[in-house]
Amino acid sequence: MFKFNYYNPTQIVFGEDRIAELDQHVPKDAKVMIVYGGGSAKKFGTIDKVAQALGNRKTIEFSGVEPNPRFETLLKGVELANEEGIDFLLAVGGGSVMDGTKFIALAMHYDKEPQDILFHGFKGVPATKSTAIGCIVTLPATGSEMNMGAVITYDEQKYVLMSPLVFPKFSFLDPLLTKTLPKEQIANGVADAFVHVVEQYITYPVDARVQDRMSEGILKTLIEVGPVTYNDNQDMSARKNFMWSATNALNGILAPGVPQDWATHMIGHEITSVFGIAHGRTLAIILPYLLRARKDKKREKLLQYAERVWDISSGKDDEKIDQAINKTEEFFNSLGIVTNLSHYGIDDNGIDTVIANMEKMGLTALSETRDLGPEAIREILHAAR
Ligand code: NZQ
Ligand code: ZN
């Protein structure tokens, strides 16, 4: 296991019908901007409940944060928040709203051009101040509710920003709020959470037993509860387990001391940027083909994955690995996700555009061993056609 520091200050408020408790978590004298997306949170009554829970505090609303939130949209939020003297931001939505709120929180105080916030990637934004954030999660998927990352679209590219200043102070995880999600968003969320775990787990062994077993526990849970939640809107027990799995998949608890491979995410982000396909879906398309292409590099962990996550105990090692990867793909298919690029109208020209953009973004040495370059990525994408 490698050396690590681990820090996570976000308080989680889990369970049904607890929005009234917001009053205990938002400072009494706060001036609050409630941030939400295209309207689902308003339509289904969550914004009204939030406003009621905030009582006499000054509140304003900022809506219209789109999926894959855009820099230009968020700048309007920054301007409004500064004009109104806002000192607390409450995100009500999925990953896009939470990420957009994180950007607003930093940009409100940033002394350089706001786009500079986006150009520091995993090294972290050199910011010293941020507005406090709280989240009401309506879509379990990204883990943004309990992490310090955000992904913002600027100039038709997705940029990852990281800053410990944007850890939410608290996040409400109410599984009832997810019941209005269309089925395909549940599928996207399950796939996203699954791939978050895989990218921190199927790399190479470093004898990190706690992290491995936590990863295996989350993957097994998602395999159990993902399809149930996708097919049955009434099974609250499955839904709760899905929600908590998604948070734990990317709240930092699996990452300390282990190698990480974010290649599927980086390729997926580019596919979203060029073709607008939802984030989780892009990952489900790429992951099985990436695992096949990287079988030798990931051999030991793939075997462990086959045996411990899919309970495959017979056959030669290669057969076990192949079977596990096939089962992974079938799992995504069982959530209604087609795992071929051609289904989404992406042909060889489209693949060339994706590769060219990744090169432009400097994404040319990916994976846990930094040896996944443009040609290898092209082969993965060709296999996924
Ligand atoms: O905008 P509204 O009307 O709210 O509709 C949203 C949106 O259209 C809808 N929705 C959300 N909750 C709902 C609901 N509809 C009905 N009922 C509800 N309860 O769902 C649609 C998708 O929402 P979005 O927030 O875009 O989805 P998701 O949570 O999957 O977030 C995706 C974004 O997160 C980024 C992605 O790149 C993408 O931009 N990621 C963020 C990460 C992080 N911060 O750590 C890591 C991830 O790997 C990911 O990259
Ligand atoms: Zn993701």
Side-chain angles (χ1 to χ4, degrees):
M1 205 190 314
F2 308 144
K3 290 178 188 169
F4 66 83
N5 288 16
Y6 174 66
Y7 169 71
N8 194 313
T10 302
Q11 181 172 177
I12 295 294
V13 182
F14 186 96
E16 294 104 314
D17 282 329
R18 299 188 63 184
I19 287 181
E21 292 174 44
L22 260 180
D23 186 46
Q24 299 161 27
H25 296 273
V26 178
K28 296 283 177 219
D29 57 351
K31 295 185 189 124
V32 184
M33 183 161 91
I34 304 167
V35 183
Y36 59 98
S40 74
K42 187 85 172 176
K43 180 170 151 199
F44 297 118
T46 312
I47 299 299
D48 288 346
K49 283 188 200 159
V50 164
Q52 204 184 347
L54 291 173
N56 293 330
R57 293 173 184 84
K58 176 186 169 179
T59 61
I60 57 167
E61 292 179 16
F62 176 68
S63 64
V65 177
E66 58 278 89
N68 310 302
R70 299 180 76 87
F71 175 77
E72 297 79 12
T73 305
L74 302 172
L75 283 189
K76 293 182 194 148
V78 175
E79 203 179 324
L80 180 64
N82 278 336
E83 261 169 31
E84 298 284 337
I86 292 301
D87 52 24
F88 199 93
L89 298 170
L90 190 61
V92 185
S96 295
V97 169
M98 293 186 278
D99 285 7
T101 304
K102 289 175 177 180
F103 176 85
I104 294 172
L106 285 174
M108 282 172 69
H109 309 275
Y110 205 61
D111 55 7
K112 296 197 196 117
E113 291 292 308
Q115 56 268 42
D116 182 76
I117 290 172
L118 307 174
F119 301 152
H120 303 275
F122 289 94
K123 286 200 285 279
V125 186
T128 52
K129 199 166 175 219
S130 167
T131 302
I133 298 171
C135 300
I136 311 278
V137 184
T138 66
L139 198 177
T142 61
S144 187
E145 65 274 13
M146 201 178 173
N147 71 34
M148 60 170 193
V151 184
I152 306 298
T153 299
Y154 171 72
D155 197 17
E156 308 311 321
Q157 297 282 349
K158 277 171 99 75
Y159 288 84
V160 175
L161 76 83
M162 310 281 274
S163 168
L165 297 172
V166 298
F167 272 114
K169 298 282 173 234
F170 61 79
S171 284
F172 278 58
L173 271 61
D174 180 344
L176 284 176
L177 297 181
T178 73
K179 287 187 75 173
T180 53
L181 280 166
K183 274 180 91 159
E184 62 269 20
Q185 294 296 353
I186 298 281
N188 295 344
V190 173
D192 193 19
F194 196 92
V195 178
H196 290 158
V197 181
V198 165
E199 298 221 271
Q200 299 167 89
Y201 167 66
I202 306 183
T203 56
Y204 56 85
V206 292
D207 195 23
R209 300 182 200 196
V210 173
Q211 296 88 323
D212 276 6
R213 289 190 169 108
M214 285 197 288
S215 294
E216 288 150 4
I218 296 172
L219 293 174
K220 275 175 114 51
T221 304
L222 287 168
I223 291 165
E224 285 165 8
V225 303
V228 178
T229 310
Y230 176 72
N231 288 309
D232 180 357
N233 204 25
Q234 299 306 318
D235 192 327
M236 286 309 294
S237 187
R239 197 166 282 264
K240 286 180 195 174
N241 281 290
F242 163 45
M243 198 164 201
W244 190 225
S245 295
T247 300
N248 280 281
L250 200 58
N251 65 359
I253 191 72
L254 307 178
V258 302
Q260 299 176 43
D261 172 9
W262 292 103
T264 300
H265 264 77
M266 293 304 120
I267 302 169
H269 280 173
E270 206 52 60
I271 295 176
T272 300
S273 299
V274 180
F275 298 102
I277 302 171
H279 173 65
R281 212 150 277 250
T282 65
L283 308 176
I285 303 167
I286 300 305
L287 182 74
Y289 294 95
L290 180 128
L291 293 178
R292 289 186 187 108
R294 305 286 286 176
K295 214 163 106 174
D296 290 340
K297 303 266 175 195
K298 296 176 179 290
R299 191 172 179 80
E300 286 171 270
K301 291 304 284 284
L302 274 170
L303 192 58
Q304 183 177 326
Y305 171 65
E307 290 170 348
R308 294 203 201 166
V309 175
W310 290 104
D311 301 316
I312 301 169
S313 54
S314 59
K316 296 201 178 79
D317 288 358
D318 271 310
E319 290 163 2
K320 287 181 182 170
I321 290 172
D322 290 346
Q323 218 182 319
I325 299 174
N326 291 343
K327 278 181 177 288
T328 308
E329 188 164 11
E330 285 158 19
F331 172 64
F332 295 141
N333 297 153
S334 78
L335 300 167
I337 303 179
V338 179
T339 43
N340 287 308
L341 291 172
S342 55
H343 174 81
Y344 303 90
I346 303 175
D347 58 13
D348 287 0
N349 287 336
I351 291 175
D352 288 344
T353 309
V354 168
I355 303 286
N357 284 2
M358 290 185 75
E359 287 186 302
K360 206 166 71 191
M361 292 284 286
L363 298 168
T364 53
L366 304 181
S367 89
E368 65 275 28
T369 42
R370 302 253 154 265
D371 59 350
L372 188 78
E375 281 323 302
I377 297 171
R378 192 189 305 277
E379 277 174 32
I380 291 169
L381 293 173
H382 277 175
R385 275 178 300 184

